[in-house]
Amino acid sequence: MFKGITKRWLINTFGVILAIIILLVVCLAVAVHSLCYATVENALTARCEELNTVFPNYLSPSTTDFVDTAAAYASGFGYKDEMEIQVINSAGRVVQTSTGFSVGDAASMPDYREALVSDQGIGKYNGRLQSGEKIMAVTRVIRNEQGEALGAVRYVSSLRNADFRIFIYTLIAAVVGLIIITVVALSGYYFIRSIIKPVREMSETSKRIAQGDFSAKIDKMYDDEIGDLCDSINDMAAELDANEKLKNDFISRVSHELRTPLTAIKGWAETMQYGVPDRITLEKGMSVIVKESSRLTSLVEELLDFSKLQSGRLTMQMERMDILAEIDEAVYMLKERALAEGKHLLYDDPEEMPIIYGDHNRLKQVFLNIIDNALKYTPEGGMIGVQVYRDYKENTIKIVVADNGCGINPEDLPKVKDKFYKANQKINGSGIGLAVADEIIRMHKGTLDIESSPEVGTTVTITLPIYNEAAILDSADGSEGVLPPEIHPDHAK
């Protein structure tokens, strides 16, 4: 029970508050004790000042006169309910009291002995009687003109009432402190519980998510940081669930994509192994084997590129290059396929374009992927157009691949460049080609934009910056986009 957050709260917060309250109660008790005792002492001292009127200048002409005058003063003393007056003669014996009770020898009175040796002739005592009662006493010695002690007047007050007041005030302070501690403990308990309960639920839910149960959800109880954390975990679980489904679909698609060419290759290989077919069948079989092998190789390379993309190991061999040469080759490689499928692949070949800085193999891979996708999603008799032009305003080269195929639904369009995502499940493909292509273009400091409408077609626009040697040299000096030494323009082919 007392561990984790609760333990830290008990030590760091409740412990400090408890210590502060105890310290305050102790300080208050000490202050009340000092105040009450000081009040009693001040009252005794104030009564002692009355001797100025009884014995002017604290002097008495003789012992007899002192005893008579002091006895009369004690008899008529008006504060008998608060304190007692004791008259002490020159021999140190109490000869008169305001209460009428006899008292023992003055030798047992430390304040009297102190007053005898004090320059001011005053002595004070705070202690106990032989009966155990706590008292406070103030004694004033009366002398004659020669300085001889004629006797003393002693004021004695019981500390029973003062101690009772000290006890009451201390008890009140302790009760108030206990109430504060109780309130703090209860409020802290409910506060800690409001944290611990959702945290425990989040911990249990996180364990379920870690074990693969992405349907686990946390009930949001508070609209605060804890609530925000609950929302984040729920969003994370939903995202992981979606990614898990995409991953499973991806694995299923890849398995199918791998199985199809392998089945074709195996089938034709077995046909040739168990009998020598005629020339036409042999050529057809070899054509299928070569075609499916190329398809299998392309798929494996796509998976390898995606693996490098995920681990951050996808690198570019940058050099000055002619973008038209790569586009021409990509169009040429897919021209025969377009004809075989009854589709029109049109390419508006410009005379020349500025040099760009890039990896020609990777860019050709992107162009092949984009045009291949256009062919996949364009029906027989459809058209795919490839256009290249220079944007003088942005100082970039734009490659536009447009088709009049089935298009992409608006809800799928923002996700088509995400890994594993595939908008159309009916068309063969792994669903990672666009994610790889988008990353390659991004690494060339360009952009890959897609516009599409269902049953109208899709337009993919690739924007690449024009080669600027000064900018590349600047970036090599340490600005954003610095290039490694092996791909510096001086090393370009």
Side-chain angles (χ1 to χ4, degrees), residues 165-230:
R165 288 195 299 270
I166 292 171
F167 171 75
I168 292 299
Y169 292 143
T170 303
L171 180 62
I172 292 173
V175 170
V176 172
L178 183 60
I179 292 174
I180 294 174
I181 291 173
T182 303
V183 171
V184 171
L186 290 175
S187 63
Y189 169 76
Y190 285 108
F191 175 71
I192 294 298
R193 186 180 179 185
S194 70
I195 295 177
I196 291 177
K197 185 177 179 180
V199 166
R200 286 176 178 171
E201 186 177 351
M202 283 187 281
S203 177
E204 293 174 359
T205 303
S206 298
K207 290 178 181 178
R208 291 173 58 189
I209 293 173
Q211 294 171 357
D213 184 8
F214 301 123
S215 63
K217 299 293 180 184
I218 303 174
D219 295 331
K220 182 178 179 179
M221 295 181 289
Y222 307 102
D223 191 16
D224 53 11
E225 289 83 355
I226 296 293
D228 294 340
L229 185 57
C230 292

Side-chain angles (χ1 to χ4, degrees), residues 30-50:
V30 171
V32 170
H33 181 278
S34 300
L35 179 62
C36 290
Y37 276 39
T39 301
V40 175
E41 183 178 340
N42 291 336
L44 294 173
T45 304
R47 299 284 77 81
C48 188
E49 295 294 331
E50 294 179 353

